[in-house]
């Protein structure tokens, strides 16, 4: 059975290491914060100018001056720091953020990503996505394996306007965990009950399958 | 040397049609509410607005859009605004979308007297079209120019009569960068104190960058997306 | 994630001969006294030191010079140091003098992930020799590259266990810039507090830039030029 | 009679306008702070990271964390702000400092300045001087008209290594006040009792003398 969004987030959370500074994008990536493993301390960066993002505030305790990059009201944790947007993207560009998790419309087998624009539709803008993907040293994409029409989002080449080139390192979808390698998408794990053939059928970019592919354990 | 003005109307009195403005804020957080209201009241037209977002239909920069005061928006993200979308699709409004970090850095560059900066954001995408690409240490970068703005309009938490500013939490965002970048910089603050009352170590924007300052009253500080969690009983 | 180390010796334990170091401070103000003492005790040699000044004969970076630990100084001003002068004239020591603003900006560039910056400082002078000159808006600028340093060693006033730093007065100077620029950044502070005790709005260096931190004791904070005025009776 | 250093500083102080942000170099320029005219408010910038520099502290009140660019212990005035060296030179480069006053070894008739290096002598470094002269919109040089050997410091071309090119706007020496113009040094005022011929004799660069040259009044 394909993973739920929560399960995708839960699986991504296993990629976190103690002491990581992490930037989580809007959508599934945001959920990762709910599954940080015991004993692992990570600091969440929000590119609008915060290190040490905490959970949503309690009802009635929202602070209009305290939001995340998705414009949601949030809180801080002890040890947090505020800074301006130039320093925020400065630390991203300088590789100080250890892991960036974001969503995508398409990823190519070379690690290109498209997630900001659909020709013919109203374009809202790239926000900080282009800065993040151009700079982050470790990018995990969290997304559904197929789009709502059932077409693969893992492609030989992206068909949509790019957000960044050769930057995605790992993809975690509802069907599988894959590394982006020089030779294509390397299948690492599969969702419980999802077969390698299912994944093959839904992956239009080059898929590398070596040996036995274990199921993701929950 | 008197930087203190009575109110937003006085602060923006010489902003004319066709001006290039920078407006601080991220979403509706840390936006110069009072100056936006004064610009709407004054009805100044054909503005170019450099602002990370375009507000919503009935708040923030959206109020100026509704009156068709804006000729061009330079932003990183302009969602959440139906009137904006209508004007854009009808060709009434011009929009230049640029990566958020590039936007921030181009403001900072202006304030730091750097004519241009290199950033990797947008390399290999349509953002790079027509731009100079340069290779440093195994990576490609785009040359991006410092912004030139007639007026920077920012919102701070506290300010003093010498123009020193302190921002609150994530309401800082683009405000200190734009404050440095305006030919004329206008600051509206929630609390204006006499020079000497702010801790000199805690100042985010030194007064040298600020030309006019006033204390706004009755800040609405609207929340764009209220997200909360339940208290455990 | 534990950034706190016991003392300067532990903080610098893996600095090896030939390392490139950045050392914060302006004159003797805001220098990492404790780490300098530990580097002297460790006797690590052949260092390249990026530091605005070179200390005096018996304090600051001068203590390392006296032991001939420094192969090369990269500074903007190196006066007030007789041993420095002797080593320089005898050819034992290499010195690269660069404009102070260029020095600061090249540190910031590293911390902000900008591979190079443009500055007008030094155009038309011998500093420009061999450098790329570029014309922007009617003015010439030099292309200057971001520094690469193995270790940045800085001194702050207060710090917390997550590495957040606050500097005092003009002891800030190069410290926050270098703190951003080191592959490994070591901070010594006069007062180390638990995470959460510092005002998040008042932090100058966010902890993400700091890898090791410790509280120094018995700071000498020597004054280089004591200048005073008389109290009117 | 030639001006004293104090009188040079006093004359320079008349160039200050209310609201000016001013950077004063080491030596005579520092003395300018003592002669700020009544009713004129200026803010002193020290490039090591301070706006709002005050006088020297009272004996016993020195603070080792509070020095100026000459490394002297100082104080602050109300409304002061501290910042790092990058922002300090940033505001200088961006033209936010209204006036820079500094000393010089030589100034050319084109406004080039040399003040950091004498070949054959120990070179201490340029400090912030190159940044200041390359960036400041309004530079006044305060210096003696002649060097200790009696040679003019106002030259057709500088003989010493340059600090900056075509940047000096005005020169105030012990003998005269001069503007640097497209056509050379334009004599504006002369020290009391110093004749135009005296100044001519001591100025090796092109000197422009138009009409009557008034004495500096004290």
């Amino acid at each position: 059975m394909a993973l739920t969004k929560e399960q995708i987030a839960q699986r991504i959370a296993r990629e976190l290491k103690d002491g990581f500074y992490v930037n989580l994008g809007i959508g599934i990536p945001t959920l990762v914060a709910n599954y940080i493993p015991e004993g692992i301390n990570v600091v969440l960066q929000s590119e609008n100018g915060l290190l040490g993002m905490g959970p949503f505030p309690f009802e009635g305790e929202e602070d209009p001056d305290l939001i995340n990059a998705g414009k949601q009201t949030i809180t801080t944790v002890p040890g947090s720091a505020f800074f301006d947007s130039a320093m925020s993207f400065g630390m991203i560009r300088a590789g100080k953020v250890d892991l960036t998790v974001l969503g995508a419309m398409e990823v190519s087998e070379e690690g290109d990503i498209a997630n900001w624009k659909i020709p013919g539709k109203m374009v809202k803008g790239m926000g900080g996505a282009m800065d993040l993907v151009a700079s982050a040293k470790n990018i995990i994409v969290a997304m559904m394996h197929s789009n709502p029409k059932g077409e693969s989002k893992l492609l030989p080449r992206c068909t949509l306007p790019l957000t960044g080139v050769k930057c995605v390192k790992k993809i975690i979808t509802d069907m599988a965990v894959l590394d982006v390698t020089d030779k294509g998408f390397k299948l690492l794990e599969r969702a419980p009950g999802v077969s390698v053939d299912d994944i093959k059928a839904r992956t239009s970019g080059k898929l590398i399958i070596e040996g036995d592919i274990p199921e993701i354990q929950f | 040397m008197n930087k203190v003005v009575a109110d937003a109307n006085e602060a923006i009195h010489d902003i004319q049609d066709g001006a290039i403005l920078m407006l601080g804020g991220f979403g509706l957080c840390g936006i110069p509410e009072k100056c936006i209201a004064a610009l709407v009241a004054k009805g100044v037209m054909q503005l170019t607005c450099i602002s990370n977002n375009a507000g919503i239909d009935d708040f923030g920069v959206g109020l100026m859009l509704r009156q068709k005061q804006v000729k061009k928006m330079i932003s990183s993200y302009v969602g959440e605004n139906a009137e904006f979308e209508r004007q854009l699709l009808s060709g009434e409004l011009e929009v230049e979308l640029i990566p958020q970090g590039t936007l921030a850095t181009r403001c900072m560059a202006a304030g730091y007297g750097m004519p241009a900066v290199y950033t990797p954001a947008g390399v290999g995408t349509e953002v790079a079209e027509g731009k100079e690409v340069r290779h440093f240490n195994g990576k490609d970068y785009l040359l991006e120019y410092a912004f030139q703005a007639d007026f920077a309009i920012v919102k701070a938490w506290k300010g003093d009569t010498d123009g020193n500013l302190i921002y609150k939490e994530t309401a800082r965002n683009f405000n200190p960068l734009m404050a440095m970048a305006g030919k004329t910089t206008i600051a509206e603050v929630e609390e204006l104190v006499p020079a000497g009352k702010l801790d000199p170590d805690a100042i985010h924007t030194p007064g040298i960058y600020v030309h006019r300052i006033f204390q706004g009253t009755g800040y609405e500080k609207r929340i764009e997306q209220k997200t909360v969690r339940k208290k455990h009983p």
Side-chain angles (χ1 to χ4, degrees), chain A, chain B:
Chain A
M1 234 186 58
L3 303 188
T4 62
K5 288 180 180 182
E6 282 71 19
Q7 285 174 313
I8 295 175
Q10 198 174 345
R11 174 61 191 80
I12 290 171
R14 294 184 196 160
E15 303 293 320
L16 301 173
K17 294 200 178 77
D18 190 43
F20 262 21
Y21 289 91
V22 181
N23 184 293
L24 300 176
I26 296 166
I28 300 174
T30 301
L31 303 174
V32 173
N34 301 332
Y35 298 101
I36 298 169
E38 284 280 320
I40 297 282
N41 251 302
V42 303
V43 179
L44 300 180
Q45 200 251 19
S46 191
E47 67 265 27
N48 57 321
L50 168 61
L51 274 167
M53 181 164 61
F56 293 150
F58 292 121
E59 175 77 41
E61 293 178 7
E62 319 86 58
D63 177 349
D65 291 320
L66 183 48
I67 64 171
N68 64 17
K71 297 167 194 164
Q72 299 169 312
T73 49
I74 46 146
T75 58
T76 58
V77 297
S80 64
F82 297 105
F83 36 84
D84 65 47
S85 300
M87 180 180 264
S88 184
F89 285 97
M91 64 182 68
I92 289 166
R93 272 196 306 269
K96 304 292 176 182
V97 173
D98 299 289
L99 176 64
T100 293
V101 185
L102 74 177
M105 299 169 183
E106 296 177 348
V107 177
S108 83
E109 62 191 34
E110 292 202 306
D112 296 350
I113 178 172
N115 71 350
W116 77 285
K117 185 174 181 176
I118 300 174
K121 287 206 179 175
M122 163 73 185
V123 181
K124 294 187 170 184
M126 67 291 282
M130 282 194 182
D131 305 276
L132 280 159
V133 300
S135 305
K137 52 188 174 188
N138 190 7
I139 298 175
I140 298 180
V141 161
M143 65 177 188
M144 296 294 124
H145 212 93
S146 307
N147 69 20
K149 293 186 201 161
E151 298 161 341
S152 176
K153 295 170 74 171
L154 290 86
L155 305 173
R157 280 159 181 260
C158 294
T159 65
L160 296 171
L162 293 181
T163 307
V165 295
K166 294 184 185 171
C167 53
V168 176
K169 298 282 186 288
K170 195 183 275 283
I171 305 166
I172 299 181
T173 75
D174 53 336
M175 297 184 82
V177 178
L178 310 100
D179 268 354
V180 179
T181 72
D182 287 351
K183 293 168 187 161
F185 300 114
K186 182 171 180 187
L187 185 60
L188 301 177
E189 299 171 33
R190 56 197 169 83
V194 172
S195 72
V196 169
D197 283 344
D198 290 342
I199 294 165
K200 263 189 195 167
R202 295 288 189 137
T203 304
S204 103
K206 188 169 177 194
L207 188 67
I208 302 164
I209 301 157
E210 289 175 1
D212 214 36
I213 308 298
E215 280 191 358
I216 304 168
Q217 302 298 320
F218 286 99
Chain B
M1 178 169 58
N2 186 14
K3 298 183 175 186
V4 179
V5 295
D7 56 20
N9 293 328
E10 188 183 341
I12 63 130
H13 75 278
D14 55 350
I15 297 182
Q16 303 294 336
D17 289 359
I20 301 175
L21 308 184
M22 286 181 171
L23 295 139
F26 182 96
L28 302 181
C29 180
I31 62 172
E33 288 183 22
K34 303 303 161 191
C35 284
I36 290 171
L39 287 165
V40 167
K42 184 176 156 98
V44 60
M45 305 297 283
Q46 292 285 312
L47 300 172
T48 295
C49 292
I50 303 168
S51 170
N52 188 57
N53 310 93
I56 57 175
D57 279 314
D58 63 346
F59 204 62
V61 174
L63 296 170
M64 293 199 283
L65 287 163
R66 197 160 65 175
Q67 286 208 134
K68 301 182 185 171
Q69 294 176 266
V70 182
K71 182 183 66 174
K72 181 176 181 179
M73 282 299 309
I74 299 176
S75 303
S76 85
Y77 190 83
V78 294
E80 281 77 74
N81 195 316
E83 172 62 15
F84 181 97
E85 190 166 344
R86 193 198 61 70
Q87 289 182 28
L88 180 63
L89 296 174
S90 71
E92 291 166 67
L93 179 65
E94 194 184 339
V95 176
E96 186 180 341
L97 292 170
I98 57 184
Q100 199 174 123
T102 302
L103 183 71
T105 310
R106 290 175 66 186
C107 292
M108 189 181 76
Y112 273 29
M114 303 192 298
V117 290
Y118 289 101
T119 174
V123 168
T125 76
E126 64 182 54
V127 162
E129 281 168 25
K131 286 179 185 161
E132 183 179 323
V133 180
R134 185 158 174 167
H135 202 73
F136 292 99
N137 311 318
K139 189 166 176 163
D140 285 333
Y141 294 82
L142 301 182
L143 183 72
E144 297 276 6
Y145 293 93
F147 280 122
Q148 312 248 2
D150 300 316
F151 292 87
I153 305 175
V154 304
K155 154 76 169 37
W157 182 32
K158 294 179 180 176
D160 73 18
T161 50
D162 279 359
N164 294 301
L165 303 177
I166 294 175
Y167 307 91
K168 189 170 173 232
E169 300 167 342
T170 56
R172 193 180 319 180
N173 54 63
F174 288 84
N175 282 300
L177 307 168
M178 292 179 170
M180 297 192 294
K183 282 195 201 82
T184 298
T185 292
I186 298 167
E188 56 175 89
V189 299
E190 292 181 55
E191 187 185 353
L192 181 63
V193 300
K197 291 290 179 192
L198 299 179
D199 175 1
D201 280 325
I203 284 161
H204 299 130
T205 297
I208 193 171
Y209 288 115
V210 176
H211 304 93
R212 301 172 194 167
I213 189 167
F214 68 94
Q215 179 173 310
T217 51
Y219 276 96
E220 178 176 347
K221 299 212 269 187
R222 200 183 295 186
I223 288 173
E224 196 162 345
Q225 289 202 46
K226 180 177 147 177
T227 44
V228 295
R229 65 189 151 133
K230 287 250 157 61
K231 260 191 184 138
H232 295 294

